Amino acid sequence: MSTGHPKGLYVCFGAEMFERLCYYGMRGLLVLYLTKALLQGDTEAYLTYGAYTALVFAAPVWGGKLADTVLGYRRAIMFGGIVMAIGEFLILGGNEFWLFLGMSAIIIGNGYFKANISTLVGKLYKDGDPLRDSGFTIFYMGINLGALIATVAVSPLGEKFGFHWGFGVAGVGMLIGVAIFFFGQG
């Protein structure tokens, strides 16, 4: 049964859902990892968390600009997703150096991914298409579903069985999101 929405919407839904699983899984584990594994104090851990979050939300400004002028939306999304997955896997190095290197990769990858996948969803519809609003609603359901799964699965998994499991699952999730986007393109 067709909903009238383009196939690309569901591809973006799946890719974004796994990207949010990666991102919120990382956020859910970050302070716990800093305080329990790296033995940082609460103040330092929360400053790191705040700086990381701020940079993740600032990065799409230049990620969108580079996609507009150099890469294009699809290549920027693929590049961003792969760099985010690499960032999660770098964190598995188990010390502060690897954590900050991995966080840097996730920030850069998010800059390319986040700005451009939302733009791509908008470009799936012609101007004035009445399905556009409901298409974005479906897309945002993917965001919320990924955040929910990260909160109830990735973070508790990492805390209970070892942070490497949580970060590893977030990285694998990002690779699944990239695969959905790559193989789902028409």
Side-chain angles (χ1 to χ4, degrees):
M1 180 175 180
S2 174
T3 62
H5 292 286
K7 174 189 169 199
L9 171 65
Y10 301 102
V11 170
C12 291
F13 171 96
E16 180 67 12
M17 180 183 71
F18 280 103
E19 184 275 335
R20 291 287 91 182
L21 179 140
C22 172
Y23 172 70
Y24 283 108
M26 165 63 176
R27 275 187 59 181
L29 289 172
L30 183 55
V31 170
L32 295 171
Y33 181 69
L34 289 168
T35 56
K36 291 184 177 185
L38 298 182
L39 304 176
Q40 289 185 0
D42 289 349
T43 302
E44 187 178 357
Y46 285 118
L47 286 172
T48 300
Y49 176 87
Y52 169 75
T53 303
L55 290 169
V56 162
F57 282 101
V61 173
W62 52 261
K65 178 68 173 163
L66 286 170
D68 286 343
T69 58
V70 179
L71 291 173
Y73 301 119
R74 285 180 172 78
R75 277 182 272 176
I77 292 166
M78 291 292 299
F79 176 74
I82 291 167
V83 171
M84 287 178 71
I86 290 169
E88 293 287 353
F89 296 131
L90 287 171
I91 294 170
L92 299 177
N95 62 36
E96 202 169 274
F97 170 80
W98 292 110
L99 172 68
F100 286 113
L101 186 63
M103 286 170 47
S104 298
I106 294 168
I107 291 164
I108 291 166
N110 193 282
Y112 285 102
F113 191 98
K114 192 67 185 149
N116 295 300
I117 197 157
S118 299
T119 302
L120 189 60
V121 169
K123 291 189 174 293
L124 293 171
Y125 298 91
K126 293 183 170 128
D127 288 341
D129 188 333
L131 291 175
R132 188 178 200 178
D133 285 345
S134 64
F136 271 104
T137 299
I138 292 167
F139 176 70
Y140 286 124
M141 287 169 40
I143 292 171
N144 292 326
L145 185 57
L148 174 69
I149 295 168
T151 304
V152 300
V154 175
S155 297
L157 175 75
E159 187 176 17
K160 183 170 179 148
F161 295 106
F163 292 107
H164 60 283
W165 283 102
F167 293 126
V169 166
V172 169
M174 192 65 246
L175 290 176
I176 292 169
V178 169
I180 288 169
F181 186 78
F182 180 77
F183 291 111
Q185 293 184 61

